[in-house]
Amino acid sequence: MIIFGTRGITAIQQKGSFHCPACGAGALYNKKEVRRFFTLFFVPLIPLNKAADYIECLRCGGTFKPEVLSWNGMVPSAPSSATPPPLGPVAAAAVPPAIRPNPPGIQQVSTTTVSYQRNGLAKASMILGIVGLLSSFLICPSILLVIPSLIMGIIGLGRAKKSNGLMGGRGEAIAGITCSSLGLVVMLAFTLFALTHKDRPDKRSPRQIAAAKISSSTTLKGDGNTPKARELAEKYATMMQLTHSVSFASKKGRTSSSRYSVYCELHDGTCAFLACVPDYRKFDDVAKGTLESLAWSTARNVLKEDGTVAPDTELCVALKGMLMFGSVMTGDAKGSSPQTTGKDENDMDHFFPESVGKTLEAANLPDKKSSEVEKE
């Protein structure tokens, strides 16, 4: 599908009468100009360079250079060196009449149709420059586009300047050079930004880091803050995948994606499971309610089978799509159902102790423990 390109549009600039070299008499004419436009979905939007201008005779349809308007109508010819001998009636009818010698000062006028040469390098430079600029945040692919675009634009612009108006593409070459130069600047800015921010510490809380990890990774199955938490996360992901493949199917009868990515935060007395649910945005309210019940019961079964976590441990199960959490459930591990169910991510801060301290520090709020020490 052609999204963008160029197109020549002809417009009438002047009307009048002139002596047409083809008709040999006075005739009306239109002075027309062909200008190239940048098109988006075949709609001309941005005017580029002037391709050509010419004179069109309205009588015979001939096209001529604009200089034909200053022609005085004299027909040139070569002077006759000798007078032809008298001929008979038949022969005399076959010989054309003698043409008068060309008066001094009159130059021969040739009827020339306007021809226009395309500049393929300029057009290619513009296309590659635009694509390279739009993809400049992807440094490796973009550099393979902007460098050739810059080279072809310079060559195409030089050809257009040396053609004395017979080759177009000046505007296209300038557009390609401009876009490729901007693409190089953007790539340089992204590179400098990445180098300067490479060694900076991550200011996100552990909860935010865990949520981003399970959403962005395509290979992660289970992870956690400790080896034991990582083991529990892998067990939870495996059991949820089996439950998902059995309980949920697509509308066409095929089993939907069941690849779960789970992070477990385990501390003394608390345990939290953050699960990235495949195709979570496609679930309706009934399916989400069923999934919440399955996710809570699966978390209880994982902790019960493991046996190393106390039965009265505070439990949190959070279900997340690709962008945001859709359900945050909290309660006791021995309870058959969660005590609270909502969408507030702050309900998980209790299960990530370090994130509470960072949040208070960012908000310049005193911690409870520090305030108690100061009072004593």
Side-chain angles (χ1 to χ4, degrees):
M1 180 179 180
I2 301 177
I3 300 177
F4 56 86
T6 58
R7 172 184 171 188
I9 297 180
T10 304
I12 299 176
Q13 301 295 326
Q14 182 181 347
K15 295 183 178 181
S17 59
F18 78 127
H19 191 92
C20 179
C23 299
L28 298 178
Y29 73 89
N30 287 336
K31 184 179 180 181
K32 295 185 176 182
E33 178 187 84
V34 180
R35 182 170 292 274
R36 290 188 176 272
F37 279 74
F38 174 78
T39 60
L40 184 64
F41 292 103
F42 303 100
V43 178
L45 297 177
I46 304 175
L48 301 176
N49 61 308
K50 182 174 72 173
D53 53 350
Y54 61 94
I55 305 299
E56 180 183 15
C57 178
L58 299 181
R59 175 182 293 175
C60 64
T63 56
F64 312 95
K65 287 184 177 181
E67 289 81 1
V68 74
L69 297 179
S70 59
W71 182 49
N72 58 7
M74 299 296 296
V75 179
S77 64
S80 180
S81 58
T83 302
L87 301 173
V90 178
V95 177
I99 300 177
R100 293 177 298 174
N102 190 19
I106 301 299
Q107 297 180 355
Q108 184 177 359
V109 179
S110 60
T111 303
T112 306
T113 303
V114 176
S115 61
Y116 184 76
Q117 300 179 14
R118 296 182 179 181
N119 196 336
L121 287 177
K123 186 173 183 179
S125 172
M126 183 186 69
I127 295 175
L128 293 179
I130 293 175
V131 177
L133 178 60
L134 295 177
S135 61
S136 56
F137 60 93
L138 303 173
I139 299 177
C140 292
S142 181
I143 198 171
L144 300 178
L145 298 175
V146 295
I147 297 298
S149 172
L150 184 61
I151 297 175
M152 289 188 291
I154 295 174
I155 297 176
L157 183 61
R159 290 183 179 181
K161 289 182 178 180
K162 296 178 181 179
S163 64
N164 296 325
L166 296 179
M167 178 178 289
R170 180 184 178 89
E172 297 173 352
I174 294 176
I177 295 173
T178 303
C179 292
S180 58
S181 301
L182 290 176
L184 287 174
V185 172
V186 173
M187 282 192 298
L188 181 61
F190 270 105
T191 304
L192 294 177
F193 180 81
L195 293 177
T196 54
H197 291 73
K198 182 178 180 180
D199 298 330
R200 290 191 178 185
D202 195 344
K203 296 183 179 180
R204 295 177 298 177
S205 65
R207 172 176 61 82
Q208 294 173 337
I209 295 175
K213 184 180 296 185
I214 61 177
S215 299
S216 60
S217 177
T218 58
T219 58
L220 177 66
K221 183 177 181 180
D223 197 4
N225 61 323
T226 62
K228 187 63 178 179
R230 192 176 301 111
E231 179 184 349
L232 294 175
E234 292 179 354
K235 290 182 180 180
Y236 185 83
T238 302
M239 294 183 66
M240 283 300 299
Q241 287 176 184
L242 294 175
T243 305
H244 186 107
S245 60
V246 173
S247 303
F248 301 100
S250 64
K251 295 181 179 180
K252 296 181 180 180
R254 296 173 298 181
T255 303
S256 60
S257 175
S258 60
R259 195 195 70 82
Y260 275 74
S261 181
V262 180
Y263 183 90
C264 178
E265 184 78 8
L266 184 62
H267 296 279
D268 292 337
T270 61
C271 180
F273 288 101
L274 278 63
C276 183
V277 182
D279 301 330
Y280 190 59
R281 60 183 179 83
K282 299 180 181 179
F283 281 55
D284 55 16
D285 294 338
V286 177
K288 287 182 179 179
T290 305
L291 181 63
E292 290 174 0
S293 300
L294 293 174
W296 182 263
S297 61
T298 302
R300 293 179 60 243
N301 292 333
V302 168
L303 297 180
K304 185 177 180 180
E305 291 179 2
D306 183 74
T308 59
V309 180
D312 58 345
T313 299
E314 292 185 66
L315 179 62
C316 174
V317 178
L319 304 179
K320 185 180 184 298
M322 293 302 298
L323 298 178
M324 56 190 304
F325 284 91
S327 178
V328 179
M329 298 171 286
T330 59
D332 295 331
K334 60 183 178 181
S336 59
S337 61
Q339 296 177 358
T340 61
T341 301
K343 297 183 179 180
D344 190 0
E345 299 181 17
N346 295 325
D347 294 341
M348 294 182 286
D349 288 340
H350 173 66
F351 299 87
F352 292 81
E354 296 182 8
S355 64
V356 177
K358 290 189 176 182
T359 303
L360 294 174
E361 183 181 356
N364 294 325
L365 297 176
D367 196 353
K368 291 183 179 180
K369 295 182 180 179
S370 61
S371 60
E372 292 177 358
V373 172
E374 290 178 359
K375 289 181 180 180
E376 293 178 357

